[in-house]
Amino acid sequence: MQSSTVSKAVRLSLIAGASAAAMTAAPVWAEEEGVERIEVTGSRIKRTDMEGANPVTVIDQASIEKMSVTNVGDLLQNLSSSAGAAVNTQTNNGGDSSVRFSLRGIGSERTLVLINGRRVVAGGGGANGSVDLNTIPTAIIKRVEVLKDGASAVYGSDAIAGVVNIITKTDFEGFDVKLEYGESGEGDGEKKSIDVTFGAASDKGNVVVALGWADQGQVLMGDRGFSEFELRAYPDGTTQPGGSSAPPWGNMDGYDGDNVTRGPEFGDWRAYNGATDSYNYNPVNYLQTPSTRRYANVFGSYELGQVGFLGDVRAFSEVSYVETNGERLLAPEPLAPLVFFGSPAPYSPNNYYNRTQGPKDPDGNSFVINDWRRRMVETGGRANTRDYKTFRTVVGFEGELENGWAWEVSYNYGKNDSVERGEGYFNLDRVAEAVGPTGWLDENGALIVDGSGNPIVDAPNGQSLVCLNEEGGIIDGCVPLNIFGQPGTDSAITAEMLQYISGNYNTTELGQNRQEGIQAIITGDAFELPAGYVGFAAGYEYRKESGSYTPDSLILQGITTAGSAVGTEGSYSVDEFFAEFYLPLVKDAPLVESLDLTLAVRYSDYSTFGDNTSGSAGLEWRPTSDLLLRASYAEAFRAPNTTELFGGASTSFPEATDPCEAGPVNANCIATGVPEGGYDSGGVEQIPTKVGGADNWTDGTELKPEEAEIMTIGLVYNPEWLDGFSATIDYWNIELTDAISTVGTQARLDGCYERGEYCGTIERFGLDSAVPGNILFVYDYQVNVGGIDTDGIDFEFSYGFETGEWGDFRVALDGTYLLSYEKEIAGGEIIDHTGRFEEGHDGMFAEWKTNLTMLWSISDFDTALTGRYISGVTETESGWWTDAFDRDVPSNTVWDLQTNWAATENLTFTLGVDNMFDKQPPFVFSAFGANTDVSTYDVIGRYYYARASMSF
């Protein structure tokens, strides 16, 4: 090849294809005769230039194979532009076995996901707002294009932070099989996968079939030193094991008002001490959740030939089916009916177990225990299994008219069904019965009573212990509950006791997401200007989104500790018209090799809120052939999704601190029901909160779409004087208003305490209750609240060179420098996220994230060393044990190593180790669970894997 821009681009892309993290923008291609026009994410107009006004990161198949990931989500979460708190399979409590991607950290629902340029059905437990990337295996991917710019004018709603476009192997020919196995250095967390791809083609069409299976094993928090205990941090740098106020040794009302316990030693009743008597629930929680995935994909096309004025017509189709199965395991239920679940279940003084084993007053008598808390370790834990089935199909036709204009018409259908089953939870009504008064039956089945006809609580000759109602009648089938005994001994809770209050009350929840779309596009050259042809694209799109969530009767009635929820069902539709223009303004002038303008506009008419019009503009200036200067401005929007609109009310338990308990009681506290003398929750750290769609508000609150303005300015440099070098630098800015979100439990509590806001959304137990002032619920449904203002710089540098005898080398560095991230919440308060971890406000926002890759290829071997760096952040730790204080979280660097050996032309072996130095994640004490941020850091440790690939 001649030493031209095109040949340089081809050579560079070949080297980049072997890189472990070739996540750099593709090189500039000049318009030359014979260069095929392609469509790049961010525009429907096909061009000869890979680089345009919008920054796009391309991750090719060879780059993906340099990692140990098996789904798109894990791949994307390694990008330096990933931030925030997107869930993955390291997220146990709060996760749903899915993997999601939050570009720029502004939320996974604000990053649009496409497959081959078309939308993908949402996934999860039903009525979800974003795509479950765990359902997209990496084995079917040809490349991934990540547009880091607003694109609502091109693609519609959700494309605020950008667009992820997954290009699949629709043109694959041959046979390929991959076998992979890996496990951690601790011998757990094993992963196994098999992927088979077959493709055949003729002069009339082609077909591609891809099949696969993947399995991921569990890791428990107790298997890693950093997560074995829940830790509480203090300003002096020390930590102390923490835990739950509901321990296996009990925590309950004492006669004088102070709580009492038997303590871990299971001794005599004494005062409860939260510092020493809490229950460490961490060890039995998953650190990595187990899951399996099975998939089948079929892609096909067929040339129909000339069809009248439509020209040459080709039919195409895509079909995919994926089953994913995941598990969640939480510590055994903290059974505290009154304080944790708002369901009174007073332990009767006439209950046999309370009478014989419970705490006593100074006179040695039993008393009513209103607030009692017991960790039900006899159950083994709260286990949830999730089964997801996702089906998607696309059918369509495309062709080229006689004038060269290309057209496409397609139909897109997707459906995601879910079933979630839970066990280890308790029927609160039956718990109340089991801790009520009891009596004894004699050998004839008659109730033993005293001379006054009252049941005898501790009859010495009783044969069978039974539950009694308030009138003294026997409750059929009820088994009295003993929470005062010691697990693992004869005094433990028995299987019969558990069966009555828990065994028959496993829950089942059903969910569905559904998407239908019709799309028609025409694109081509409209007319010629002196600088070149004006390109255009225009089209129409119809889309209908629907979702549902159906809890069983136990959850619907709110009578189990699994929580309460109301079903969700809703849908909306949208009609859209769009147009794009590519205008070459100047060409081959002094200091202007080319100057091009791109324009786009989209009109959307929604069945819910009305219409929206979004526009965008981009400018590309090439002073020379090796330098591109670019800028773009875009308007973007996000329509409220089915969950945000119609989501049924459910109960969650976020960590929060009530300032009315921790601080001096003020008038705002008293107005919500706090006693003037304050109250003591006994160490409650998770506040019952009602969440759901805006329809749950009773004041007529309605949602409107989010709106955003996005700007980028950057350059791409591929110098002719330094062959193999490329550099990309882009500044970006996003201003989001009318964000659809919740205010947050902590923010509502603080707002009421400090400013008198949100007090009407806080419900407390009455002054005449057993726990006056304690929080019953905080109501935190969806609203339009505040916004986000963030900006930063993306950079990508790479250099590849050949040495002949010593092989080929390449070094690549890509990163993101976060300049600012400010979130506005209700009331106009600005929360600065820059360089911080914010548990209650969206997660991790490190100022620097970089990926450094060094590649060496020689003979039949190539080796890649990749370093992933996350700069240190600041977190705020607070709790009932300490006043709020800031602490520094150190930076984190993880190194991965992989070597490939091409044993034959068709057979390749791969050995790799992730986190080769077994770097422990930094402590993030304000994060929920595991003492670190599981959404950001590698928590498994050193991980070894081997792969065999055979291709024909």
Side-chain angles (χ1 to χ4, degrees), residues 419-438:
V419 179
E420 179 171 350
R421 298 175 177 87
E423 59 183 37
Y425 300 94
F426 293 84
N427 182 317
L428 291 166
D429 289 345
R430 288 204 164 187
V431 169
E433 293 175 346
V435 300
T438 62

Side-chain angles (χ1 to χ4, degrees), residues 112-115 117-121 155-159 392 394 412 515 541 543 545 576 606:
L112 179 62
V113 176
L114 309 173
I115 294 181
R118 303 177 189 89
R119 286 183 177 259
V120 184
V121 65
Y155 298 110
S157 176
D158 307 338
R392 180 178 181 268
V394 176
N412 182 357
Q515 181 185 81
E541 185 173 352
R543 180 165 49 91
E545 302 275 0
E576 299 181 287
Y606 278 78

Side-chain angles (χ1 to χ4, degrees), residues 194-375:
I194 302 173
D195 300 285
V196 179
T197 307
F198 168 80
S202 69
D203 57 354
K204 296 292 289 183
N206 79 305
V207 63
V208 178
V209 178
L211 306 171
W213 169 85
D215 180 81
Q216 175 175 281
Q218 70 179 41
V219 178
L220 293 171
M221 289 188 187
D223 296 331
R224 299 294 184 271
F226 65 86
S227 58
E228 184 177 2
F229 297 92
E230 190 217 355
L231 297 176
R232 297 169 181 160
Y234 291 86
D236 62 1
T238 61
T239 60
Q240 186 179 80
S244 168
S245 64
W249 37 89
N251 174 19
M252 57 200 67
D253 289 341
Y255 180 76
D256 58 0
D258 294 330
N259 281 28
V260 295
T261 181
R262 292 185 62 190
E265 71 279 10
F266 286 93
D268 294 334
W269 292 100
R270 58 172 175 79
Y272 176 83
N273 184 340
T276 58
D277 296 330
S278 298
Y279 167 69
N280 177 27
Y281 48 75
N282 270 27
V284 292
N285 281 263
Y286 282 143
L287 186 62
Q288 174 176 281
T289 60
S291 63
T292 60
R293 181 185 63 225
R294 292 170 290 274
Y295 72 88
N297 291 74
V298 180
F299 307 98
S301 67
Y302 187 76
E303 299 287 345
L304 300 178
Q306 286 284 333
V307 181
F309 73 93
L310 296 177
D312 288 323
V313 177
R314 185 177 76 100
F316 61 87
S317 66
E318 304 172 13
V319 180
S320 66
Y321 177 76
V322 184
E323 286 188 11
T324 57
N325 312 105
E327 298 179 19
R328 180 184 76 169
L329 180 64
L330 304 180
E333 186 71 84
L335 190 56
L338 181 62
V339 175
F340 287 5
F341 302 102
S343 179
Y347 234 111
S348 171
N350 294 321
N351 181 283
Y352 173 76
Y353 296 112
N354 187 9
R355 176 76 62 88
T356 59
Q357 301 178 41
K360 302 295 184 289
D361 66 16
D363 297 325
N365 298 317
S366 300
F367 53 88
V368 176
I369 306 173
N370 290 297
D371 176 15
W372 57 270
R373 311 174 194 186
R374 170 53 152 83
R375 184 68 59 160

Side-chain angles (χ1 to χ4, degrees), residues 700-711:
T701 297
E702 294 184 354
L703 294 180
K704 55 185 177 180
E706 300 176 340
E707 296 186 348
E709 295 181 355
I710 303 96
M711 179 186 70

